[in-house]
């Protein structure tokens, strides 16, 4: 498994190309070799690939604009080919208001096109996907609606626990469908905190990731609670590398 940084953590530093370029270098200087491109300014894929290469970084996955996935799936795939990235991520869909049928209608054609061309469509959970309709969570309904070779998941450990779930249990349940996992810790207050400084059972989580064939472990902290975002990524990196990850 390869340790990476989810750039949504440092999104405020990446709202123009100069900031994005500088932040990629700072992430590489910490020691990360992989990133998820998410929450940044718009970019030319060829330019970004050059910036990644310059810093010895690879793009494991994106959170790509939903409308671009739907309206221009071919251009979406071409952008990811340029980046050398096979995982096309969607960060959010409001299942509670829109429903599963609307998701299938909206994204189904693109999901099938991506899968037919060697890409993974990866859905990222929050806590509301664990709400139930007729006794079944929206996350399970989504998993059942598509073949595992078409739709994968980016399981977010914090949001699973926020919903009252066991991250390790859900990772096991979604085995072979989780190429990327967001490592995000929860403090006893319920706040997000650097990995290793909260209350999650990382031994069990990481063990399941290994057996579930996860490729990338991506550190994310949506809210750094007035701490420096780069420092938060650094603290998480130091903890996880102390466990033998790299």
């Amino acid at each position: 498994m390869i340790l990476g940084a989810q750039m949504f953590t440092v999104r405020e530093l990446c709202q123009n190309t100069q900031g994005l370029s500088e932040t990629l270098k700072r992430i590489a200087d910490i020691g990360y070799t992989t990133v998820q491109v998410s929450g940044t300014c718009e970019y030319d894929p060829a330019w970004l690939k050059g910036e990644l290469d310059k810093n010895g970084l690879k793009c494991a996955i994106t959170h790509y604009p939903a409308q671009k996935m739907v309206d221009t799936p071919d251009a979406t795939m071409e952008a990811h080919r340029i980046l050398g990235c096979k995982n096309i991520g969607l960060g959010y869909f409001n299942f509670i208001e829109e429903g599963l049928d609307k998701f299938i209608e909206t994204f189904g054609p693109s999901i099938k096109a991506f899968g037919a061309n060697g890409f993974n469509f990866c859905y990222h959970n929050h806590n509301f996907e664990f709400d139930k309709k007729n006794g079944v969570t929206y996350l399970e309904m989504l998993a059942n609606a598509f073949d595992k070779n078409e739709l994968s998941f980016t399981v977010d450990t914090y949001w699973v626990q926020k919903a009252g779930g066991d991250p390790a249990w859900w990772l096991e349940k979604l085995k072979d469908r989780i190429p990327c996992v967001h490592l995000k810790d929860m403090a006893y207050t319920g706040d997000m905190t650097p990995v290793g400084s909260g209350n999650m059972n990382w031994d069990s989580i990481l063990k399941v990731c290994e057996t579930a064939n996860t490729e990338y472990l991506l550190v994310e902290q949506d809210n750094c609670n007035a701490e420096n975002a780069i420092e938060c990524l650094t603290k998480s990196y130091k903890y996880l590398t102390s466990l033998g990850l790299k």
Side-chain angles (χ1 to χ4, degrees), residues 90-103 107 123-124 126 128-129 131 138:
L90 178 67
Y92 173 86
F93 184 82
N94 192 335
F95 285 99
I96 305 301
E97 293 186 7
E98 301 287 344
L100 179 65
D101 289 345
K102 183 64 174 179
F103 179 92
F107 292 101
Y123 181 79
H124 166 266
H126 290 83
F128 58 81
E129 290 90 352
D131 196 4
Y138 283 96

Side-chain angles (χ1 to χ4, degrees), residues 198-210:
N199 65 354
M200 289 198 178
N201 186 340
W202 291 108
D203 287 341
S204 66
I205 290 170
L206 296 173
K207 184 177 180 180
V208 174
C209 286
E210 186 74 44

